[in-house]
Amino acid sequence: ARVFSRPSPLLASRALLPAYQHRERLLATVQEHGVSVVRGATGCGKSTQLPQLLLEEAARAGVRCSLIVAQPRRLAATALAERVAAELGDELGGACGYAIRGDAKISRKTSCTFVTTGVLLRRLRSDPELGVFASSKSAADGDLKTAGSQEWMPTYTHVLVDEVHEQTVDTDLLLLALRRLLREQGGRGPKVILLSATADLPALRAYFENCAGTMGVGTCDVPGRAFPVKRMHLEDAVRDAGYTCDARGPWAREMALPTLPTLSRAALSEAAAAEAEAAAAAANNPTVAANLKERARKLRNEAEAASAVRAVGGLGSDWLRALGEAEALKRFGPLVANTLRNMDLGFVNEELVSLLVRRRAMEAKAVGGAVLVFLPGRGEIDSLAEILEQDSSLLVARLHSQLSSAEQKMAFATAPKGKSKVVLATDIAETSVTIPDVTCVIDCGLHRYPLADPSTGVSQLVGARISQAAATQRAGRAGRVRAGESYHLFLSGEAEAMAPAPTPEMQRAPLESTCLRLLAMLSPAADKTVSNETVTGETDETVTDVSAGVTAETVTAGVAAIALTKSVSGYGGEAGLIDGSVTVATTVVTVAALLAEAPHPPPAGAVARAVGALIALGALCKTEGGGEELTAIGRRMAEVPAEPRMAKALVAAHALGCLREVSIIAAAAEAPRGGLFGRGPLATETKQRLDGSSDHLAALRVLALWETDGSPALSRLGIAESAVREVDRAARRLADSVRSACGGQEAPLARNAKVGALVKAALVCGCGRLAMRLEPGKGELCWLAPSGREVRVKPHSSSLLSRTLKLSKSSNASDGGKGKASKGVESSESSWYVCHALLRSADSTRALDATLVSPLALALCGPQDLGFKPTSEAEEAAVLAGRARLEAALGGEPHMQVHLHALRAELSLLLAPIDAPWSGLPAGWVCEEDSAGKTLYRSLEQSGVTSRSKPTESAKSLAQGGERAKGSLARANAEAAENQQQAEARRQAVAEPAPQQSGLGLEAEVAAETVGTASVVAAAAAAAAAAAATAAAKLTAAAESAELKRATLKLTASADAKARTAAAGSVAGGVSKLLAELELGTYAGAFANAGIDDAALREIAEILGEDREEGESAVDELVERVGLKGGSAVKFKRRLLSGGGGGGGGGGRGG
């Protein structure tokens, strides 16, 4: 048993906490029951004291104790772990530690681990039973571990779940999983303890009653220690702050309230129903009946419209409307009454809040204490902070989920002398964590939450009034150190009509990720899977799993072919991805049935929509009994900590060899503070400089430049290095999780792989369902929703699409409606984009970061119902074969792993037009644009070394090769000079008489000269042979590449190929012949002065043959350099671009 040595100040403060004072009752409840529900008022110390009490009791009894405590937020997990470790007198990571996503402070001696709810859910996926069978005797005894000597040992003796009243999706999933775990394990599982300040004890008791075994469910109430808090409302805040709102001011309501008392909107709805009844009764007079029905319809519509704004001030306006002006003046006085009637109650009134904060801060200087302001989101926090930071007497701290852990901790620091601390926070400060010096709370009474559109599934951030329970929690933050006060910025009359508790998140949020995680965690153990390593589509033999006693059906090649056909033709349909294994399910499992067991089951329609989306994504498939099960790729996706679309993109990236790149894109999309670029027009300008076709690739290039050039590159772009480092760390964690899910390190890419094209292919695999068509000349995109309805989408202001669409509209206006593509779309003529998320705003659906793709990419990697029809049998065969290979690779089929290089090469070739010129560069190279806007690759190893073609080896390797070549040439020249000097000396010696020289000596000298010459000749011959072999290898590779390219281009660009071939062959006669043919001989001197010789002309023709657009740019540059003008320039350009002969004729496509 471990003895903890506590610091005396902390021990003294601990003894004052109600949870410690009621320790005997708490421990008895936990000891006597399998499930315990502890309801403790805010400030009672339940979150910090109960874990310590359990550890102490176990130490006294000499029994094992291992606790895991789940918190809804990262900040709560880390802050509570630090506090408990300090109270135990131990360092963080010793007896007490924490484990959150991307960070952990634990060790072998850690007995109490604080985690986020999501981390505990992931542990349940990897260890569904939270325990193992272990031998009752140690290995030192020498006994073998047999089934008879083993006993069950839970991983954790106690599982504590805090803040269960918040009813988040993760909390509800965790309670569902623990309930099933207890039901399956009986009394041998861990004890479950639920903690909350406002929990519904009867409901939780009923939920766990039938699964807690013979020990049942116990409850324990712990009183609070908080000092009294004076709770006030909007009318009190207006009075205390001395605030006035003019009817024409910026914070005034659009429509004034009536002077006389009128029916509230709820009463209007009742009146509408009464009118409808009256209309039905007036059947004898059809005209009167029609009029009454119309009036009833209008009243009902008005009531329904009012219900949409009730959560953001509608209830308060109803109350004031019913009160009337005279009664308001009588109750509140003229100043307050007029202000309340003029104010718009649906927004955060920054003028009122700033006045209130300054008043309370001035009072706090005398008595101490901080002010905590609850705001609905980061936008309001930043806006109010800018106002308050102008006051030098205030120390303003922000607190929301998009801040780093270090930034969040600033809210807990003590203000320096002479300053008052003001904390601007979202509901992250509502529970779990305590800012100890807060004595005044200003509650704006609003919060935001995601709400899924029932028809499209697109999320919308909805602003709403908080619940009564949330208001109570917020007020409790003010009474921790002394008596405090709380201003709730909603009317007292509105408070009575507010919802008693928040709507459970599972009943309003998108459910795709929830369904995927739930199936991965709760798939029944009765399902027996025969691995593809044992059963393939090539055998007719019956396979038996002896250990499980399950006999699989005979699997024939014909059945496998049918499955393959279904998977290819119905990509995103019921068949999903090729699983590669035979599953014999003894239990029909449906997601709807599993979610029906949740504490707050979601609507059936929302579940059906989520299941359909996952089936379309290939993560789920239907079973023969009508249930659902995970496909092979679905099991991988469930292990990746990302939303399902991005999870599939990451799994695809692992197969295609671009995992690092797509991990960076996913991490940048989830980065706090608006990502790497922020939001707004400046973001689009920066992205345009990096990559004009893709928001995602622009983020990827930031990391590439940072890895190559470091901080200077970021400074030139105006991007903070701290944000880049955070994205890099998150990307590495994400890549590690994908490798773990996919079974190891991905195979490296070939040197000539089109990395940008492969990245876009991976994005299409995951986000193809969000493909949008750009209609030329319009500022909107068209998206095909899952329901089959076309939805108009606008790009987010920070997306490159917003700039592209503006240019498209202006170009359309200037060229008479032809809609010529802008320069930003230079890699492809496609009008299709994919984005990773859509967000519903008040007036439209907005696309977040988007990437330009091609129809061929969507046909190969995207959903098949987008309408891309093959134009020939050859194209249909190529697309179907490509899809089959890609799907098999994503599903992890063993026979596909050896073909990954071929698959990547095929996709690189097919999707080369949408590649990014800067992507996949070897180390030491940077991609730039010259003065003409053409792509240029510059070496960082050798000054002045550039290349027009994309390098395939690192700059350092190329430089070393050049040095070796120079060295070899120098040695060869030195050897040749030495041999020449020796030969010259011999000739002089022969010419002069040498009486003492014998014939034998002369023959030896001649022989030596012959040998020296022969060595030089042999070396030259060897070098020539090596050069010939290299040239032959290059010719062979070029021939193979050309053959493959010709086979591919048959599908899409045969006409272009003929034109390019003609253009390349049309300049064989050189400059002089071409000028003579075009009767432009007077320009021969200009060509020579510009350095345009026969070789330069052939190079331009080759560029034109490889890339039409780049070739046109090269021709334009040549015309400009030479100085061709007017008809001569037109004639010359037409001749080169058309590839024809004969004067100035032959009008080809390029003219």
Side-chain angles (χ1 to χ4, degrees):
R2 184 174 180 186
V3 178
F4 301 105
S5 175
R6 293 184 174 81
S8 56
L10 293 178
L11 186 60
S13 63
R14 183 188 184 211
L16 300 175
L17 294 172
Y20 184 80
Q21 295 168 358
H22 292 76
R23 57 188 179 278
E24 294 181 358
R25 205 156 52 86
L26 280 170
L27 290 173
T29 301
V30 173
Q31 182 66 29
E32 296 168 4
H33 300 91
V35 177
S36 303
V37 184
V38 177
R39 183 169 60 186
T42 301
C44 73
K46 59 185 179 299
S47 301
T48 58
Q49 298 310 304
L50 186 54
Q52 295 182 68
L53 294 173
L54 293 172
L55 289 175
E56 291 171 348
E57 182 66 18
R60 281 192 293 267
V63 296
R64 174 176 174 265
C65 184
S66 178
L67 314 176
I68 186 166
V69 187
Q71 294 290 334
R73 298 179 183 86
R74 295 162 52 96
L75 177 61
T78 55
L80 290 172
E82 290 176 359
R83 177 68 182 186
V84 171
E87 291 190 3
L88 290 173
D90 200 0
E91 61 181 7
L92 185 62
C96 180
Y98 66 83
I100 60 177
R101 182 178 171 186
D103 189 15
K105 293 281 187 182
I106 54 177
S107 63
R108 290 183 176 273
K109 61 181 182 179
T110 301
S111 301
C112 176
T113 306
F114 283 84
V115 298
T116 55
T117 313
V119 167
L120 182 51
L121 284 171
R122 285 194 290 275
R123 291 195 180 181
L124 277 168
R125 287 205 299 272
S126 60
D127 183 12
E129 297 184 341
L130 286 183
V132 294
F133 281 101
S135 176
S136 58
K137 294 186 177 182
S138 65
D141 295 335
D143 292 342
L144 294 176
K145 293 183 178 181
T146 62
S149 64
Q150 287 182 334
E151 59 183 29
W152 180 258
M153 177 177 291
T155 307
Y156 305 102
T157 58
H158 300 77
V159 176
L160 290 79
V161 185
D162 205 354
E163 310 298 350
V164 294
H165 66 275
E166 292 194 11
Q167 302 174 358
T168 64
V169 166
D170 280 356
T171 300
D172 278 3
L173 277 183
L174 182 56
L175 296 185
L176 190 159
L178 292 174
R179 182 171 179 256
R180 289 174 62 95
L181 180 70
L182 293 173
R183 188 169 56 202
E184 293 170 2
Q185 294 185 351
R188 71 179 186 181
K191 289 182 177 292
V192 174
I193 305 170
L194 311 179
L195 307 173
S196 174
T198 58
D200 186 345
L201 293 184
L204 287 172
R205 178 194 289 272
Y207 185 70
F208 282 96
E209 192 68 54
N210 297 326
C211 63
T214 57
M215 303 187 74
V217 181
T219 60
C220 183
D221 266 305
V222 179
R225 187 197 64 160
F227 291 91
V229 175
K230 182 181 179 182
R231 298 183 63 175
M232 294 166 283
H233 295 89
L234 181 60
E235 54 266 37
D236 306 301
V238 169
R239 181 192 64 242
D240 292 352
Y243 174 68
T244 58
C245 178
D246 186 77
R248 298 180 181 180
W251 300 101
R253 63 174 70 242
E254 292 183 3
M255 184 178 295
L257 293 175
T259 302
L260 298 176
T262 58
L263 293 173
S264 67
R265 295 189 181 274
L268 286 175
S269 181
E270 296 175 3
E275 293 286 353
E277 293 178 4
N284 295 331
N285 190 333
T287 303
V288 174
N291 291 337
L292 290 174
K293 286 182 179 179
E294 178 63 17
R295 173 174 169 74
R297 186 186 66 81
K298 290 181 178 179
L299 290 173
R300 189 178 300 106
N301 289 343
E302 183 181 356
E304 290 175 356
S307 67
V309 297
R310 291 175 70 84
V312 286
L315 287 173
S317 296
D318 285 350
W319 187 66
L320 289 173
R321 187 181 292 107
L323 205 60
E325 185 177 24
E327 181 62 25
L329 289 170
K330 178 181 177 181
R331 184 175 298 194
F332 305 123
L335 179 65
V336 175
N338 290 332
T339 296
L340 293 178
R341 289 174 57 81
N342 290 336
M343 281 177 60
D344 189 330
L345 305 181
F347 298 93
V348 176
N349 190 315
E350 294 178 353
E351 287 183 351
L352 172 60
V353 175
S354 59
L355 281 174
L356 207 55
V357 166
R358 289 189 175 97
R359 174 182 175 274
R360 304 311 302 170
M362 289 179 62
E363 296 177 359
K365 287 183 179 180
V367 296
V371 180
L372 173 60
V373 184
F374 283 99
L375 294 159
R378 176 191 162 192
E380 290 82 0
I381 288 176
D382 290 342
S383 178
L384 185 58
E386 290 180 6
I387 298 173
L388 296 179
E389 284 171 346
Q390 297 175 9
D391 190 336
S392 59
S393 65
L394 300 178
L395 175 66
V396 181
R398 296 168 172 84
L399 185 59
H400 54 80
S401 60
Q402 295 184 10
L403 296 173
S404 65
S405 298
E407 291 172 316
Q408 289 177 340
K409 289 181 180 179
M410 293 176 62
F412 301 87
T414 304
K417 188 175 181 180
K419 287 198 173 188
S420 298
K421 184 172 75 173
V422 181
V423 180
L424 308 180
T426 60
D427 53 7
I428 191 175
E430 190 175 299
T431 57
S432 300
V433 298
T434 298
I435 304 174
D437 52 350
V438 170
T439 58
C440 176
V441 166
I442 300 174
D443 171 21
C444 292
L446 297 171
H447 72 138
R448 288 198 184 94
Y449 59 87
L451 182 66
D453 186 304
S455 61
T456 63
V458 177
S459 293
Q460 177 181 3
L461 278 178
V462 177
R465 192 63 86 195
I466 62 174
S467 65
Q468 294 177 4
T472 301
Q473 285 275 24
R474 293 183 176 189
R477 303 288 106 183
R480 307 308 297 270
V481 293
R482 62 177 175 84
E485 54 190 10
S486 173
Y487 288 99
H488 300 283
L489 301 188
F490 46 83
L491 294 164
S492 56
E494 185 177 359
E496 300 171 358
M498 285 164 47
T503 302
E505 186 181 10
M506 191 175 283
Q507 296 178 356
R508 53 178 168 79
L511 296 175
E512 286 84 354
S513 181
T514 301
C515 296
L516 189 65
R517 291 187 296 161
L518 185 65
L519 268 183
M521 186 169 55
L522 300 182
S523 295
D527 282 6
K528 303 299 178 183
T529 300
V530 184
S531 170
N532 201 352
E533 297 175 1
T534 308
V535 183
T536 69
E538 305 294 333
T539 180
D540 291 320
E541 298 177 359
T542 300
V543 181
T544 304
D545 183 352
V546 179
S547 62
V550 178
T551 302
E553 296 287 349
T554 302
V555 182
T556 64
V559 173
I562 293 172
L564 177 63
T565 304
K566 283 184 178 180
S567 179
V568 173
S569 62
Y571 182 75
E574 289 189 358
L577 292 171
I578 301 170
D579 192 335
S581 60
V582 181
T583 302
V584 183
T586 59
T587 304
V588 176
V589 178
T590 64
V591 174
L594 291 175
L595 284 174
E597 299 181 26
H600 308 96
V607 177
R609 184 175 60 249
V611 170
L614 290 174
I615 289 176
L617 202 56
L620 300 186
C621 64
K622 289 287 187 180
T623 63
E624 292 183 1
E628 296 99 21
E629 66 180 2
L630 291 172
T631 62
I633 190 174
R635 287 191 288 273
R636 293 181 167 193
M637 290 166 56
E639 298 300 320
V640 178
E643 60 88 22
R645 284 188 296 270
M646 193 57 76
K648 183 177 179 182
L650 288 162
V651 172
H654 182 273
L656 298 180
C658 53
L659 177 57
R660 166 65 178 168
E661 289 77 8
V662 179
S663 296
I664 290 172
I665 290 172
E670 296 297 326
R673 294 185 177 273
L676 293 173
F677 304 99
R679 299 294 185 192
L682 290 178
T684 62
E685 294 179 9
T686 305
K687 292 176 181 179
Q688 180 64 33
R689 293 163 58 190
L690 293 165
D691 191 292
S693 69
S694 170
D695 295 297
H696 300 111
L697 293 188
L700 178 58
R701 194 175 185 189
V702 170
L703 271 292
L705 291 174
W706 175 62
E707 292 171 347
T708 302
D709 201 15
S711 301
L714 302 181
S715 299
R716 291 191 294 270
L717 295 170
I719 296 176
E721 187 170 11
S722 59
V724 176
R725 290 186 183 279
E726 188 172 346
V727 168
D728 180 57
R729 288 192 294 267
R732 294 181 187 279
R733 294 194 299 266
L734 201 53
D736 288 342
S737 67
V738 175
R739 293 186 186 102
S740 176
C742 296
Q745 189 76 25
E746 66 275 18
L749 278 174
R751 288 198 307 176
N752 60 345
K754 306 292 186 183
V755 180
L758 293 176
V759 167
K760 290 185 176 183
L763 288 174
V764 172
C765 283
C767 307
R769 183 58 60 182
L770 296 183
M772 300 167 292
R773 185 180 70 254
L774 170 61
E775 297 183 357
K778 295 185 178 180
E780 293 180 331
L781 301 108
C782 184
W783 171 57
L784 185 65
S787 61
R789 178 170 64 92
E790 287 193 343
V791 178
R792 298 295 172 182
V793 178
K794 294 182 179 180
H796 193 278
S797 61
S798 64
S799 172
L800 275 169
L801 262 178
S802 62
R803 181 180 184 277
T804 301
L805 294 186
K806 288 178 183 177
L807 293 176
S808 176
K809 292 177 72 175
S810 61
S811 174
N812 186 63
S814 63
D815 65 8
K818 297 178 181 179
K820 186 178 179 181
S822 65
K823 184 181 178 182
V825 191
E826 60 189 8
S827 61
S828 173
E829 297 179 359
S830 170
S831 59
W832 287 88
Y833 292 82
V834 292
C835 69
H836 70 266
L838 295 175
L839 185 65
R840 178 72 186 172
S841 63
D843 59 342
S844 62
T845 300
R846 299 275 176 176
L848 299 183
D849 293 349
T851 288
L852 175 73
V853 296
S854 66
L856 184 57
L858 290 167
L860 282 167
C861 309
Q864 211 173 27
D865 57 359
L866 290 179
F868 298 110
K869 302 296 183 183
T871 58
S872 65
E873 292 184 1
E875 184 176 3
E876 181 178 12
V879 169
L880 289 177
R883 291 177 68 90
R885 286 192 290 272
L886 178 61
E887 293 173 3
L890 298 189
E893 292 197 18
H895 72 276
M896 276 304 302
Q897 304 308 307
V898 297
H899 301 298
L900 283 181
H901 286 293
L903 174 64
R904 295 168 181 175
E906 180 182 357
L907 288 176
S908 292
L909 188 64
L910 290 171
L911 304 182
I914 61 173
D915 187 33
W918 55 265
S919 66
L921 275 180
W925 291 96
V926 291
C927 178
E928 301 173 341
E929 288 186 352
D930 60 14
S931 58
K934 296 176 60 178
T935 300
L936 188 69
Y937 300 98
R938 179 172 59 85
S939 171
L940 298 177
E941 292 288 335
Q942 294 174 287
S943 177
V945 175
T946 60
S947 172
R948 287 288 183 192
S949 59
K950 194 171 186 178
T952 57
E953 61 179 320
S954 69
K956 185 175 182 180
S957 175
L958 187 66
Q960 291 174 346
E963 292 298 328
R964 286 193 297 269
K966 290 180 181 178
S968 299
L969 180 61
R971 287 192 297 273
N973 289 336
E975 185 177 353
E978 182 180 356
N979 290 335
Q980 186 176 0
Q981 291 176 359
Q982 292 177 358
E984 182 65 26
R986 293 190 193 93
R987 282 193 294 272
Q988 291 178 1
V990 171
E992 297 177 359
Q996 296 181 355
Q997 186 176 14
S998 66
L1000 182 59
L1002 180 60
E1003 291 178 0
E1005 288 185 5
V1006 173
E1009 180 180 351
T1010 303
V1011 171
T1013 305
S1015 65
V1016 174
V1017 172
T1030 302
K1034 289 184 177 180
L1035 287 174
T1036 302
E1040 292 176 354
S1041 176
E1043 182 63 29
L1044 182 58
K1045 187 172 184 178
R1046 281 194 296 272
T1048 303
L1049 292 178
K1050 276 184 180 180
L1051 303 177
T1052 55
S1054 58
D1056 285 350
K1058 293 178 181 178
R1060 288 194 291 269
T1061 303
S1066 65
V1067 297
V1071 173
S1072 59
K1073 184 176 180 181
L1074 180 63
L1075 294 180
E1077 175 189 328
L1078 298 176
E1079 300 178 352
L1080 298 175
T1082 56
Y1083 283 94
F1087 270 74
N1089 293 334
I1092 306 298
D1093 55 10
D1094 294 349
L1097 188 63
R1098 280 195 300 273
E1099 182 181 357
I1100 292 174
E1102 290 173 359
I1103 294 174
L1104 188 62
E1106 294 176 358
D1107 189 318
R1108 177 77 176 182
E1109 187 173 354
E1110 187 175 350
E1112 291 177 356
S1113 299
V1115 173
D1116 290 338
E1117 182 182 358
L1118 184 152
V1119 169
E1120 183 178 353
R1121 287 173 58 188
V1122 173
L1124 291 172
K1125 303 291 185 182
S1128 299
V1130 172
K1131 184 164 54 174
F1132 184 83
K1133 290 170 63 175
R1134 183 180 299 168
R1135 171 65 175 78
L1136 281 189
L1137 297 177
S1138 67
R1149 295 187 310 140

